[in-house]
Every structure is written in C-alpha cells, then in structure tokens.
C-alpha cells in the first residue's frame, strides 16, 4: 500500500501576508491558489509564493501542525520562512535552533 504524503505549508501573498494550510498534493495546491481557485483569503492577494512546508505521514499530523502554525506570531512565521529553502526542502540548521528557542517544532 502506497503511503500518501501530507503537507502543512505557508504561502507568502503579494501583500506580504502569510497563508497557512495543509494538502496532500503540494504542487497542485500552490497552482490552485495562484489560479484564483484556492482559498478565499488568497484570491485577492495573488500571486502567492510557497515559502515553507513540512511533510507528514498522516492527514491528522498535517492538520494539527496547520492549527499550531496559524497561532504563531508574524515574527515566528518569518523565522520559519527565513530558515527554509523550498529548493532544498530542508530548514537551515542555524535557524532550526532559533526556531526551537521560540517553541517552533520543525519536522522534515
């Protein structure tokens, strides 16, 4: 049986705000947001850019992390963004330590 990947992700909108969500198809979801068929929040803030994501084995884990990340302060969200490279799909080790001090759990 194939394991389905689940992601918690953060987008940066054109107005500089952040949007956090979860999906089981990250590339498709970002395309959907940018086509204007994503969340109501992002429709008026296009284009959006994927700036952070985490991968989980279960939907429950991804949704739980989404709820947690939505409660982070803007500064904490910016720390996640600054320590992450979507190209490398990993967080910078120095930033991970900073995130841990702020109570941010990063799971890759």
């Amino acid at each position: 049986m194939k394991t389905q990947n689940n992601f918690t992700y953060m987008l940066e909108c054109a107005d500089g705000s952040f949007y956090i969500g979860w999906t089981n198809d990250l590339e498709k979801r970002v395309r959907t947001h940018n086509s204007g068929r994503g969340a109501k929040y992002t429709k008026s803030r296009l284009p959006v850019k994927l700036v952070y994501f985490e991968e989980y084995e279960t939907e429950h884990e991804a949704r739980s992390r989404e709820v947690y990340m939505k409660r982070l302060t803007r500064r904490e969200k910016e720390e996640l963004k600054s320590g992450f490279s979507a190209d490398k799909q990993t967080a910078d080790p120095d930033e991970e330590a900073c995130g841990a001090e702020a109570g941010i759990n990063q799971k890759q």
Side-chain angles (χ1 to χ4, degrees), residues 58-103:
T58 69
E59 178 182 330
H60 177 75
E61 291 173 309
R63 285 179 178 253
S64 294
R65 181 63 170 159
E66 174 193 17
V67 169
Y68 177 83
M69 285 175 60
K70 285 182 175 182
R71 293 181 182 149
L72 296 175
T73 64
R74 178 164 181 88
R75 181 177 163 268
E76 291 169 328
K77 291 173 187 174
E78 287 172 347
E79 287 176 5
L80 287 176
K81 175 189 167 190
S82 70
F84 186 78
S85 169
D87 294 333
K88 292 189 280 180
Q89 298 182 14
T90 105
D92 181 65
D94 295 331
E95 288 298 320
E96 192 168 6
C98 181
E101 291 171 9

Side-chain angles (χ1 to χ4, degrees), residues 11-19 41 45 47 74 78 81:
L11 304 175
E12 184 169 18
C13 301
D15 66 358
S17 64
F18 293 119
Y19 174 83
Y41 182 84
R45 294 169 170 83
R74 178 164 181 88
E78 287 172 347
K81 175 189 167 190

